[in-house]
Amino acid sequence: MSAPLRQRLVRWSSVAAVLGAWWCLVNPLARGAEIDFYRDVYPVLKSNCIACHNKTTTKAALNMETPEAMRKGGDSGEGLVPGNGAESLIFQAAAHIGDVEMPPKGNKSGALSLTASELALLKAWIDQGAKSSVQQARQVVWQPLPPGVHPIYSVALTRDGRLAACGRANEVFVYDLATRQLVTRLADESLSKPGSPGTAHRAIVQSVAFSPDGMRLASGSFREVKIWRRENVPVTTRKGDPALGAVVSELAADGKRLVCADKQGALQVIDAGDGKVLKTIATAIQGSITLLSLSPDATQAAVYGTDGSLSLWSLADGQRSARKEGLAGVRTLAWTRDGKAVATGGDDKVVRIWPVPTGEKAEVAAPKELKSATGAIMALETGADLLIAASADGKVRLWNVAEAKLVRELAVAGAVALGLSGDGKQLAAGRADGVVQVWDGAAGKPIIELSGDAETNAHLAALEWTVAAEGLEMAFQKQEAARIEAQNKGLEELLKKTNDTIATVKKDVGEKQNALKQATHAKDAAQKAVAAVADQVAKAPGGKPDAALEKQQKDAQDKLTAAALAETAALAALKAREIHLKDAEVEAQNYAAAQSRNTSAVAAANAAAAKAKAAQDKGVADAAATRQAAAGRKLQPLAVRFSADGQTVAAAFGDGSLRVWAVAAGLPIQHLPGSGATTAASLVGSADRVFAAATADGSTARVSTASRWGLERTLGGDTAASPFVDRVNALRFSPDGKTLAAGGGEPTRSGDLSLWEVASGKLIHEWKERHADAVLSLDFSPDGKRLASGGADKVARVTDVASGKVINVFEGHTHHVLGVSFRADGRVLATAGADSTVVIWDMISGERTKKIEGWTKEVTSLQFIGATNQILTSAGDNLVRIVDDHGGQVRAMAKLPDFMQSAASAATAGVIVGGGEDSVLRIWNGATGQELAAFGAGSNTTTP
């Protein structure tokens, strides 16, 4: 034997010895220990038997989840003979002894035949008495998710369409759809690691849901639910001190200091936060200061007064560094970005750029003049190498400062305030009509117009909801009136037939009465004849009638009998017709009463329809009035400013109000109402998404478009005490936001529902095994009194929240029910199935009204859009589709690259979102189907 071969044999001998020792430790047969069912036997059965033999899927009526169930057996008899494994049917089937072989070849569960060691273990357990044991709580051993696993299984959208959320792998992402930016990745600090902020969950996120007010977000994963809370940065305001007499104010670039000028020409340097005066500078200007601008580093102030002088003042020592007199009609001034010059413009239509003198007694050099305007200069803004001037001739001109060269001319009528983005690529022009227009400076093209405020938009959205909801109500009531009127027509036909029957029967009754009279008369005559013959018989000699008399007596008696029978028959016939008549009259009364009730019901339905129409008309009129009032508020912007990231624009107006818009979507996102009219305003934007504003009297305000999300509480967890036995597949907040419903359960075994108090995290109700398989979808009725659930058991159920009773069971799908959604009026429920259909259910009758087809794969989610009959769906055939509840297709977002798992809509179809296996969250305009943005797992946004 060669040395290498001998070495390999030695190594293999060592390995075999180690494996043998390990086998003796883990195998109870090898070490002669008593076999524990849940520790030793159950894992074998679970891998190969229980998928088809459990309490939900009990093939051959055999449940193999417990020793007791196996002893009970199924269709073939008892499954176990304790103490005798060889004679136990379950062992024989597993060992392929006899006619039954389990698991069968080619089974759909992928179960494999038991190995020799597994069979020996099963037989030994039965031989030991097939004893049960105590099931030990299973400790979850978490493993890292495989790299690249980022599917989106659930998406959510706030009612106003502002925020969207999705789960990717074990993370939850929140996006601002107004700015088209990632807001945050939610992180549980307890899951953080060195160098990593942490994730939302350990396992894949199965479900997400926003509260109705958008201030909370719930996320569901394996055996836990986390509730995250949003904290908005509060608005701060400070009223200017009237004692200062400020007539114009300017904020430093960092928003921390404020410089105010009074009517006497004095400058006050103030702490913008608390209003404390830090320095007073007496300028000795003859008259009032009308214009004030701070250098970029906030060390100097440029001041223009009614005396026509322009002067520069050091804010550090309060000394004047330069002065230029004789400048009449100046309307606006601004420092260049490098702080080396001050630009002025005014009635003479010329922009002058004054170099800032250097040295103690430097003279003010001649300015550089920019001439091309044919109207007064109304506003100035400067960039790194640009100067922008708005003039009364309806033009905004962009100048290269160094070359004094006109770069571009934009047609912006009525521009009175200007702002430039930090990168100098976009220009915001505030117009006299209150609109702020954003331009692409390089291309010279308008991008978007910004107007309105968040409150007005919210009010209009509420009115739009009202109009749609009243439209639903009106349509339903009209449909009810038509249905009842059709029913009344049927009743009218029935009543006519019944009245015809009454007339016929009444005629029959008269005839039967006459027939009875005749029969009675005939009977009476026959009775008399019998009596007369009886008298003759009595008078016969010896009381014995002769044969002729006897025959006469018999004939008379026979005639009487026949007459009596005829009378009885006539009476019965009469009674039968009288009963028929009475029944017909009662029937006619019932039909008439039903007609009367229906007539009242039709009147009520028509009245309800008219009421809904009036409410709808009022909603339409109120919306029109709101829009007209908004259009009529021609507030003039006094200052316009971009945020540091260029995603938002703020404007301060003459009524002291401040408004902020998102540039990407053109939506107003912040509104601070004004406290009074002002003649001037100052605005600065910071990197932390804060705008600071100041009005002429020194009043200040700070508003932020940022928000902070934090973990509020965790429900359940990976401990044995968790109320969730497996994945939490569905979450839904109640309409009032006070209750959170969670749905899950153990696949193939149970479908569980639970209700939680959001504020405290207290478990309110728990309905175990409400479904026979895992719950996959949830929705509250609009009044919050009912909870619809869809499960893997192919059934949708509706639970009364107060009593916990199941009030509806809808069986119409042939596969998992993946989505449930109530219509806004609560009268209709839609369900989505893995059988590629959507089914519409009438909640009043409990009947199916429509089965909608047209998908080729699973319909993975659905939601009624706002207060309409339109339903948003996502599906595995790469399709996000809108249909109505009659089955008509409204719109489809087709040719998506991958399986779509979930979609959601705002209260209107203005914004819809969808996500799936490719990990991209897509945003569409639901009214047009246009894709607005797409957020990938590794990037903030991609906008088409």
Side-chain angles (χ1 to χ4, degrees):
M1 183 183 297
S2 66
L5 177 58
R6 187 164 47 249
Q7 290 172 355
R8 286 198 295 270
L9 287 176
V10 169
R11 283 198 297 269
W12 277 111
S13 297
S14 300
V15 171
V18 171
L19 289 175
W22 173 81
W23 178 247
C24 289
L25 287 173
V26 301
N27 189 343
L29 289 178
R31 66 178 189 270
E34 183 173 341
I35 299 170
D36 183 280
F37 172 73
Y38 281 110
R39 183 192 65 207
D40 304 320
V41 180
Y42 184 79
V44 175
L45 301 180
K46 185 175 182 181
S47 299
N48 301 289
C49 308
I50 290 178
C52 296
H53 297 284
N54 56 71
K55 65 181 179 181
T56 302
T57 308
T58 315
K59 292 188 177 181
L62 176 62
N63 183 352
M64 297 181 65
E65 293 178 301
T66 65
E68 294 79 11
M70 285 190 282
R71 281 198 291 271
K72 182 179 179 182
D75 293 341
S76 300
E78 294 184 4
L80 298 178
V81 180
N84 193 344
E87 295 298 322
S88 297
L89 183 60
I90 286 177
F91 173 74
Q92 292 174 353
H96 298 180
I97 299 172
D99 297 333
V100 181
E101 294 185 2
M102 289 293 163
K105 294 179 181 179
N107 62 84
K108 295 182 180 179
S109 300
L112 302 175
S113 297
L114 270 60
T115 65
S117 61
E118 290 171 339
L119 285 170
L121 179 67
L122 176 61
K123 182 178 182 300
W125 171 68
I126 301 173
D127 288 341
Q128 291 181 6
K131 299 175 184 177
S132 186
S133 62
V134 177
Q135 187 171 12
Q136 300 297 317
R138 179 169 60 94
Q139 182 66 37
V140 177
V141 179
W142 295 100
Q143 301 294 331
L145 290 174
V149 177
H150 301 292
I152 295 176
Y153 287 154
S154 182
V155 302
L157 196 60
T158 53
R159 281 178 59 87
D160 61 3
R162 173 73 187 277
L163 298 176
C166 69
R168 287 193 185 95
N170 55 359
E171 295 186 290
V172 176
F173 296 73
V174 180
Y175 297 94
D176 187 332
L177 301 190
T179 62
R180 312 274 166 79
Q181 288 179 304
L182 173 68
V183 174
T184 186
R185 293 186 183 190
L186 300 180
D188 182 345
E189 292 182 358
S190 67
L191 302 180
S192 63
K193 298 178 180 179
S196 171
T199 60
H201 296 271
R202 287 189 175 93
I204 287 179
V205 176
Q206 303 290 337
S207 50
V208 291
F210 277 108
S211 60
D213 62 2
M215 297 302 294
R216 284 185 171 95
L217 175 68
S219 58
S221 186
F222 183 76
R223 302 185 71 177
E224 69 180 11
V225 171
K226 293 185 179 180
I227 300 178
W228 313 82
R229 186 175 179 86
R230 173 163 62 114
E231 297 291 343
N232 292 329
V233 179
V235 172
T236 60
T237 59
R238 182 187 59 77
K239 186 67 177 172
D241 184 357
L244 294 177
V247 293
V248 62
S249 302
E250 183 80 4
L251 281 164
D254 61 5
K256 295 180 179 180
R257 287 189 299 163
L258 176 72
V259 178
C260 301
D262 61 20
K263 292 180 181 179
Q264 286 71 43
L267 296 178
Q268 308 281 354
V269 181
I270 299 171
D271 185 302
D274 58 19
K276 181 180 179 180
V277 176
L278 304 176
K279 183 185 290 293
T280 299
I281 301 173
T283 64
I285 292 176
Q286 300 299 313
S288 177
I289 294 174
T290 59
L291 298 175
L292 172 64
S293 181
L294 300 184
S295 62
D297 60 4
T299 60
Q300 298 184 80
V303 174
Y304 177 76
T306 54
D307 62 357
S309 68
L310 173 67
S311 56
L312 303 182
W313 296 84
S314 169
L315 298 181
D317 58 16
Q319 298 301 308
R320 188 179 70 192
S321 60
R323 175 181 174 87
K324 179 67 177 179
E325 298 179 347
L327 303 178
V330 175
R331 291 175 175 263
T332 179
L333 61 86
W335 286 80
T336 57
R337 289 287 177 94
D338 59 9
K340 295 181 179 180
V342 175
T344 62
D347 293 340
D348 64 358
K349 310 170 189 177
V350 177
V351 175
R352 293 178 174 85
I353 302 175
W354 303 86
V356 174
T358 58
E360 292 185 3
K361 296 183 179 180
E363 296 292 329
V364 177
K368 186 181 295 184
E369 295 187 346
L370 308 177
K371 300 178 181 179
S372 69
T374 58
I377 307 300
M378 308 300 294
L380 293 172
E381 178 64 281
T382 60
D385 55 0
L386 283 177
L387 183 142
I388 307 168
S391 58
D393 60 4
K395 303 291 184 180
V396 171
R397 295 173 175 86
L398 283 68
W399 296 84
N400 181 299
V401 177
E403 301 176 6
K405 178 182 177 182
L406 180 63
V407 176
R408 190 172 299 280
E409 191 174 87
L410 310 177
V412 187
V416 292
L418 297 172
L420 191 66
S421 62
D423 60 8
K425 294 180 180 181
Q426 292 185 338
L427 166 70
R431 303 189 317 222
D433 61 0
V435 175
V436 175
Q437 193 173 28
V438 180
W439 288 74
D440 181 327
K445 294 181 179 180
I447 298 173
I448 199 165
E449 290 192 350
L450 309 175
S451 63
D453 58 76
E455 288 82 357
T456 300
N457 278 15
H459 181 58
L460 287 171
L463 290 173
E464 185 178 344
W465 177 281
T466 297
V467 169
E470 296 299 344
L472 271 183
E473 179 67 15
M474 183 170 57
F476 171 78
Q477 296 296 349
K478 286 183 176 181
Q479 185 179 353
E480 275 294 282
R483 181 185 65 80
I484 297 170
E485 285 175 344
Q487 193 180 78
N488 253 6
K489 287 184 179 180
L491 288 172
E492 188 176 346
E493 289 295 321
L494 291 173
L495 183 58
K496 181 178 181 301
K497 291 180 181 179
T498 303
N499 286 332
D500 290 344
T501 298
I502 290 172
T504 300
V505 174
K506 279 184 176 181
K507 182 179 178 182
D508 286 350
V509 167
E511 292 175 354
K512 300 303 182 191
Q513 287 173 338
N514 290 333
L516 177 60
K517 288 179 181 179
Q518 293 174 7
T520 301
H521 179 71
K523 187 196 75 171
D524 291 343
Q527 184 69 49
K528 289 178 180 179
V530 168
V533 172
D535 287 342
Q536 291 180 23
V537 170
K539 294 177 181 178
K544 295 181 180 181
D546 57 15
L549 188 56
E550 284 182 350
K551 183 178 184 303
Q552 184 179 356
Q553 186 180 34
K554 182 179 182 304
D555 290 343
Q557 191 63 47
D558 289 344
K559 288 182 179 179
L560 176 59
T561 300
L565 289 172
E567 182 190 41
T568 300
L571 179 61
L574 175 60
K575 290 295 184 184
R577 300 310 282 168
E578 286 177 339
I579 291 171
H580 191 179
L581 177 61
K582 186 176 181 180
D583 289 346
E585 288 174 339
V586 169
E587 196 173 56
Q589 290 173 359
N590 290 338
Y591 288 149
Q595 274 191 315
S596 177
R597 288 193 301 271
N598 281 356
T599 300
S600 298
V602 168
N606 285 332
K611 182 180 178 181
K613 180 66 165 63
Q616 187 183 52
D617 289 345
K618 184 178 184 302
V620 171
D622 287 350
T626 299
R627 291 188 180 92
Q628 184 175 2
R633 289 195 292 268
K634 303 292 187 182
L635 298 175
Q636 180 165 308
L638 302 176
V640 177
R641 191 69 58 205
F642 276 93
S643 58
D645 61 6
Q647 297 299 317
T648 56
V649 167
F653 290 86
D655 64 347
S657 67
L658 177 65
R659 298 179 185 183
V660 183
W661 297 269
V663 176
L667 294 175
I669 56 177
Q670 279 276 21
H671 176 216
L672 180 63
S675 58
T678 182
T679 57
S682 171
L683 262 178
V684 295
S686 64
D688 56 356
R689 300 181 183 178
V690 173
F691 284 104
T695 53
D697 66 353
S699 297
T700 59
R702 290 174 64 88
V703 299
S704 173
T705 61
S707 59
R708 294 184 292 269
W709 286 88
L711 179 61
E712 185 175 27
R713 63 175 40 86
T714 299
L715 310 177
D718 61 356
T719 67
S722 175
F724 309 111
V725 299
D726 207 282
R727 290 165 294 183
V728 179
N729 300 310
L731 293 168
R732 188 73 72 209
F733 283 90
S734 60
D736 62 5
K738 296 180 180 180
T739 304
L740 176 67
E746 190 170 357
T748 76
R749 299 191 65 191
S750 66
D752 304 334
L753 298 176
S754 56
L755 297 183
W756 302 80
E757 185 177 75
V758 174
S760 67
K762 177 184 175 183
L763 179 62
I764 303 171
H765 295 295
E766 188 174 29
W767 299 304
K768 293 288 188 181
E769 300 182 9
R770 181 49 47 97
H771 286 256
D773 205 338
V775 173
L776 303 174
S777 53
L778 292 172
D779 194 28
F780 276 100
S781 61
D783 59 8
K785 295 180 179 180
R786 295 167 292 170
L787 177 66
S789 55
D793 58 357
K794 312 172 189 177
V795 176
R797 299 175 187 270
V798 179
T799 299
D800 178 79
V801 172
S803 67
K805 294 180 179 178
V806 175
I807 53 179
N808 295 97
V809 178
F810 297 125
E811 299 181 80
H813 289 282
T814 59
H815 214 307
H816 298 3
V817 178
L818 300 173
V820 292
S821 180
F822 280 100
R823 201 171 68 180
D825 58 2
R827 297 187 179 107
V828 172
L829 180 74
T831 58
D835 55 2
S836 309
T837 66
V838 168
V839 178
I840 308 299
W841 306 90
D842 186 325
M843 292 301 299
I844 297 174
S845 67
E847 299 295 328
R848 186 180 79 180
T849 60
K850 185 71 178 178
K851 183 176 183 180
I852 306 173
E853 299 177 318
W855 294 269
T856 60
K857 290 186 180 179
E858 300 96 318
V859 183
T860 52
S861 73
L862 88 169
Q863 175 196 339
F864 272 102
I865 298 176
T868 72
N869 70 336
Q870 295 184 1
I871 306 168
L872 172 66
T873 67
S874 62
D877 54 5
N878 306 11
L879 191 66
V880 171
R881 182 181 174 201
I882 300 175
V883 298
D884 61 40
D885 56 14
H886 299 297
Q889 178 163 304
V890 178
R891 189 165 294 103
M893 278 56 78
K895 298 181 180 178
L896 300 173
D898 213 333
F899 193 107
M900 299 301 292
Q901 292 280 10
S902 184
S905 170
T908 67
V911 178
I912 62 176
V913 301
E917 293 294 329
D918 68 350
S919 194
V920 176
L921 180 69
R922 290 179 169 81
I923 319 299
W924 295 275
N925 181 321
T928 64
Q930 177 190 3
E931 185 174 304
L932 303 176
F935 300 95
S939 61
N940 280 0
T941 179
T942 299
T943 304

